[in-house]
Amino acid sequence: MGKGMGIMRASMEGLRREAGRHPVLFSFMAAAVLNFLVEVLSRRSLWKPVVFLVMRPHIFLYNTCIIFWCFSLLLLVRRKLFLGTVIGVVWLLLGFVNLVLLGCRVTPFNGADLRLTKDAMTIAGKYLTWWHLVLMGAGLLLLLAGLAFLFRKLPKWQKKPSYVRGTVFVLFSLLALFGLSGLGMRTGLLANQFGNLAQAYLDYGFPYCFANSLVNTGISKPEDYSVEAVQEIKEEEILPEEHGWAPLIEEERPLAVDEQGVAVTRQTPNIIFLQLESFSDPMKYLHMECSRDPIPNFRKLKERYSSGYLWVPAVGAGTANTEFETITGMNLDFFGPGEYPYKTVLQKEACESLCFDLKEIGYHAQAIHNNSGTFYDRYTVFSQLGFDSFTSLEYMNGSGRTPMGWAKDGMLTKEIAKVMKSTAGADMIYTISVQGHGSYPEEKVLEAPEITVSGLPTEEETNAMEYYVAQIHEMDQFVGELVDYLEDCGEETVLVLYGDHLPSLDLTEEKLENGDVFQTEYVIWDNIGLERSKRDVEAYQLGAWVLDRVGIQKGTMFRYHQAWLQELVHTEEEKEKYLEDMKLLEYDILYGDQEVFEGKNPYQATDLHMGVQPITVSQVMTQSRGVYVAGWNYTPSSVVYLNGEACETDYVSMNLLYCGDASLEEGTNEVTVCQVSGDNIVLSATQPYVLAYHGEKKP
């Protein structure tokens, strides 16, 4: 043992001497080796990084310079070997995290993921088993213990660093790095906007893309941005506002009639968006076969109503970004790499949306999601998008669960019905499902699947696919039930159904009939007689396309897209101008002077109401042990607060909660019932119920 420690100390001392003789060369060589190892992890291959190095040596060198700059910080400390070790460990950890994430999704690890840490922790249990978590915890403890050991054992420089020279070098090298970046972007060797983030990581390497995603957020200012440019787009490329009926199959639209047989003016139809989690058509997967059609209801709707392919901004994950594009009409390609606007600009800025625009003509804007209201910060962000109410899982009862613990979508028909009944007039309801969410277990959790899968090379892939097919088959049954309800409820309605992205099941272009991993499908069901149309659209065009179908021209971005959608065929020059002007509009609305709104944002965040059914306390009862709270519309997420303190609460029924360890205090007590998320955030609270308590009555 002592001999081994002596050898290690001698090795460390030799390493210190070599680093001291040639610090810059030593650091650059270490950065090159580290860069190669990170690419090995990120590309999940030993051979692919070699090909990358040979084919794009200038990019590899640039990425090495990024890591080399990190090593320049060694000039400012005495413990150079220790800090160098820490820098190496951090880069390898980043590469390892990317390796793990690419095993369950297509999008590489990026800066936006660091803003999703809370959400990732919330769903970690759906992707990782308990022993995964134990191994990760043990690995982290070993890593920290190893770093602590090295901190004590690694030699440090006796000579005091020259902080002035070191700081000058660090700043100079950082400026040089930014200069190289600017030069690379101007010459086309580097890209600043990544339309396909996964491909960008392959083209430009992990260090550059990850570093870019950390600092590059929002929309960069277009070079030609000006009042005149915005005004020109308004006058020439945005349709005028109009609110009428779309052309119907019938020549004339019959008037509605009231109970006395008197003709009345028709209401504008309800517009319901149903974003189906990871929903796709397995019959279009070329590498496998299903024993029967898993989505017969969706297929029948496609055959009878308007439909087409939908280009979405994500694969395998990124629900909130498809959602953002659909609600706002904005193209995410202009934002930072992998950015989630829900986590950045919409934290503080109200944004024009379908909600704000339709509310101007009398609609109520409601959101429904059978998952936690805090996921992607929807419980706050939806107010910035103009929603009046948001019914999340914390406000729902009777939810069945998938084997992976996600709420089933069948409950959403009841929730949509509640929302429709809660208002008079037309509703815009944005519904986000969750049942199809990954992960998809490779072990066999379905003993006798209703639909079997064949043609896949391994049992693990077959198990995962059969699980996925079982979930979307149930989602399709829910689609059929929802359409049946809407047909019978007597309200004129347009229902837009679409998948938010493909599932994380290692799907590639070669395995898909349509050859595009960024395409899902949509269908527009209606009971107002809209003429059937087939058209492929982008997610940011979907809202405009739907409004166009029902004869509504509202909203800046939506009218801009409607003008474009009037023509079926466009030249490359027209497409380029369409995208350039779209970026200019998006920048103006979210980051610029809002010239399109005459210099002032007309939209203000709403006072978002959580849930549509009032939750109340009507009576508080004491027993020999515990407290009962009676009232209305309780759910398993209801928590009793007694005098400001949360009590351990058992859900008994929609009208009764029980707190076994709670006891009233002598005198005045206040009882409230709060809806609390799984991450312990209070989403709403009842009015306090005040009662006086003077001890137990004696018989």
Side-chain angles (χ1 to χ4, degrees), residues 27-41 60 64 67-68 70-71 84-93 207:
S27 296
F28 192 83
M29 290 175 61
V33 172
L34 194 55
N35 183 24
F36 184 82
L37 293 176
V38 168
E39 290 298 333
V40 168
L41 292 170
F60 185 88
T64 298
I67 298 177
F68 173 69
C70 297
F71 282 119
T85 302
V86 171
I87 290 171
V89 167
V90 169
W91 276 106
L92 290 174
L93 276 177

Side-chain angles (χ1 to χ4, degrees), residues 96-336:
F96 180 74
V97 171
N98 193 37
L99 170 76
V100 172
L101 287 181
L102 288 176
C104 58
R105 73 182 198 191
V106 175
T107 306
F109 183 44
N110 60 83
D113 291 314
L114 300 179
R115 302 182 189 95
L116 296 174
T117 303
K118 176 175 70 71
D119 299 315
M121 294 299 293
T122 302
I123 65 170
K126 306 286 198 307
Y127 287 87
L128 303 173
T129 62
W130 65 269
W131 61 268
H132 282 133
L133 298 173
V134 170
L135 285 177
M136 288 171 61
L140 182 61
L141 288 175
L142 285 174
L143 177 61
L144 293 175
L147 289 176
F149 174 79
L150 292 176
F151 181 80
R152 294 180 57 195
K153 295 299 181 182
L154 286 177
K156 64 179 180 178
W157 263 241
Q158 298 303 315
K159 184 179 178 181
K160 184 179 179 180
S162 175
Y163 294 112
V164 175
R165 284 193 300 173
T167 302
V168 169
F169 184 84
V170 169
L171 293 177
F172 176 79
S173 57
L174 182 61
L175 290 174
L177 202 57
F178 277 110
L180 284 174
S181 299
L183 180 63
M185 291 172 194
R186 285 193 297 273
T187 58
L189 294 177
L190 295 173
N192 191 40
Q193 297 292 334
F194 305 143
N196 183 332
L197 192 60
Q199 188 59 47
Y201 272 66
L202 297 177
D203 291 340
Y204 304 108
F206 179 87
Y208 169 68
C209 291
F210 184 79
N212 189 303
S213 71
L214 288 175
V215 300
N216 182 7
T217 59
I219 303 173
S220 58
K221 185 177 180 178
E223 292 182 3
D224 59 342
Y225 177 66
S226 65
V227 177
E228 293 75 20
V230 175
Q231 198 61 37
E232 182 180 341
I233 295 173
K234 284 180 66 175
E235 293 173 357
E236 299 182 8
E237 300 180 57
I238 297 179
L239 295 180
E241 287 197 3
E242 183 178 330
H243 174 210
W245 285 104
L248 304 181
I249 296 173
E250 300 87 359
E251 289 188 12
E252 293 185 4
R253 183 181 183 81
L255 290 175
V257 200
D258 65 14
E259 294 179 355
Q260 286 73 40
V262 179
V264 295
T265 305
R266 281 185 177 270
Q267 295 283 337
T268 307
N270 299 313
I271 300 176
I272 303 175
F273 285 83
L274 176 53
Q275 183 170 286
L276 296 162
E277 171 64 45
S278 300
F279 191 83
S280 65
D281 184 357
M283 304 293 279
K284 294 188 175 182
Y285 297 175
L286 301 178
H287 63 304
M288 49 158 275
E289 292 183 359
C290 296
S291 58
R292 63 186 178 88
D293 187 358
I295 56 168
N297 291 306
F298 191 85
R299 197 176 313 284
K300 182 173 67 175
L301 294 176
K302 284 196 301 179
E303 293 167 357
R304 295 179 56 190
Y305 298 93
S306 297
S307 63
Y309 281 109
L310 181 71
W311 281 283
V312 294
V315 182
T319 295
N321 278 352
T322 301
E323 193 176 308
F324 171 80
E325 286 201 344
T326 307
I327 293 172
T328 65
M330 291 191 176
N331 185 349
L332 268 164
D333 286 351
F334 306 131
F335 287 78

Side-chain angles (χ1 to χ4, degrees), residues 608-638:
L608 185 69
H609 190 272
M610 296 299 295
V612 294
Q613 292 186 320
I615 300 173
T616 60
V617 177
S618 61
Q619 188 178 6
V620 176
M621 301 163 285
T622 61
Q623 297 290 331
S624 56
R625 178 178 174 83
V627 173
Y628 285 93
V629 178
W632 299 96
N633 300 316
Y634 299 146
T635 75
S637 296
S638 299

Side-chain angles (χ1 to χ4, degrees), residues 531-599:
E531 187 175 358
R532 184 169 181 251
S533 175
K534 294 282 288 184
R535 182 147 193 186
D536 301 341
V537 297
E538 300 273 0
Y540 55 78
Q541 296 170 332
L542 182 61
W545 179 231
V546 172
L547 295 188
D548 186 70
R549 301 289 297 142
V550 297
I552 297 174
Q553 292 171 194
K554 289 288 294 180
T556 304
M557 296 306 302
F558 302 108
R559 287 183 290 129
Y560 178 75
H561 296 313
Q562 285 174 336
W564 171 262
L565 292 169
Q566 285 183 342
E567 301 292 333
L568 290 174
V569 180
H570 298 276
T571 65
E572 287 302 317
E573 292 77 10
E574 288 173 333
K575 290 178 183 177
E576 186 176 342
K577 180 169 175 52
Y578 171 63
L579 292 171
E580 288 176 354
D581 290 347
M582 191 193 312
K583 178 180 178 180
L584 192 147
L585 283 175
E586 291 185 23
Y587 175 83
D588 181 62
I589 291 171
L590 286 176
Y591 301 96
D593 299 325
Q594 299 177 326
E595 297 295 344
V596 76
F597 302 134
E598 308 302 330

Side-chain angles (χ1 to χ4, degrees), residues 237-483:
E237 300 180 57
I238 297 179
L239 295 180
E241 287 197 3
E242 183 178 330
H243 174 210
W245 285 104
L248 304 181
I249 296 173
E250 300 87 359
E251 289 188 12
E252 293 185 4
R253 183 181 183 81
L255 290 175
V257 200
D258 65 14
E259 294 179 355
Q260 286 73 40
V262 179
V264 295
T265 305
R266 281 185 177 270
Q267 295 283 337
T268 307
N270 299 313
I271 300 176
I272 303 175
F273 285 83
L274 176 53
Q275 183 170 286
L276 296 162
E277 171 64 45
S278 300
F279 191 83
S280 65
D281 184 357
M283 304 293 279
K284 294 188 175 182
Y285 297 175
L286 301 178
H287 63 304
M288 49 158 275
E289 292 183 359
C290 296
S291 58
R292 63 186 178 88
D293 187 358
I295 56 168
N297 291 306
F298 191 85
R299 197 176 313 284
K300 182 173 67 175
L301 294 176
K302 284 196 301 179
E303 293 167 357
R304 295 179 56 190
Y305 298 93
S306 297
S307 63
Y309 281 109
L310 181 71
W311 281 283
V312 294
V315 182
T319 295
N321 278 352
T322 301
E323 193 176 308
F324 171 80
E325 286 201 344
T326 307
I327 293 172
T328 65
M330 291 191 176
N331 185 349
L332 268 164
D333 286 351
F334 306 131
F335 287 78
E339 181 175 355
Y340 287 86
Y342 278 19
K343 290 290 187 176
T344 54
V345 64
L346 291 185
Q347 291 285 322
K348 57 184 182 298
E349 192 76 26
C351 177
E352 183 183 43
S353 66
L354 283 169
C355 306
F356 281 124
D357 294 332
L358 290 174
K359 284 164 66 174
E360 290 181 7
I361 56 175
Y363 276 82
H364 302 274
Q366 326 272 12
I368 302 172
H369 183 32
N370 56 335
N371 196 24
S372 174
T374 64
F375 202 49
Y376 288 116
D377 287 348
R378 288 185 177 100
Y379 75 112
T380 57
V381 168
F382 276 174
S383 65
Q384 306 282 26
L385 291 171
F387 284 101
D388 298 314
S389 74
F390 176 28
T391 303
S392 61
L393 185 62
E394 289 84 359
Y395 296 82
M396 299 180 186
N397 275 299
S399 167
R401 297 276 179 164
T402 70
M404 298 306 293
W406 299 108
K408 292 194 173 186
D409 289 346
M411 65 188 305
L412 291 173
T413 299
K414 178 179 66 175
E415 299 303 326
I416 291 172
K418 285 181 187 176
V419 169
M420 291 174 66
K421 292 173 182 176
S422 71
T423 62
D427 291 301
M428 198 291 282
I429 304 174
Y430 201 94
T431 307
I432 308 143
S433 92
V434 79
Q435 181 169 351
H437 207 296
S439 65
Y440 311 110
E442 294 184 345
E443 65 276 10
K444 196 171 185 63
V445 298
L446 303 176
E447 290 302 323
E450 188 177 341
I451 301 174
T452 57
V453 169
S454 60
L456 294 174
T458 67
E459 182 180 352
E460 289 77 15
E461 290 179 77
T462 300
N463 290 337
M465 186 62 74
E466 286 185 342
Y467 175 87
Y468 169 72
V469 167
Q471 302 315 312
I472 63 165
H473 180 57
E474 290 190 9
M475 293 167 69
D476 182 75
Q477 292 174 332
F478 150 61
V479 166
E481 293 166 2
L482 176 60
V483 170

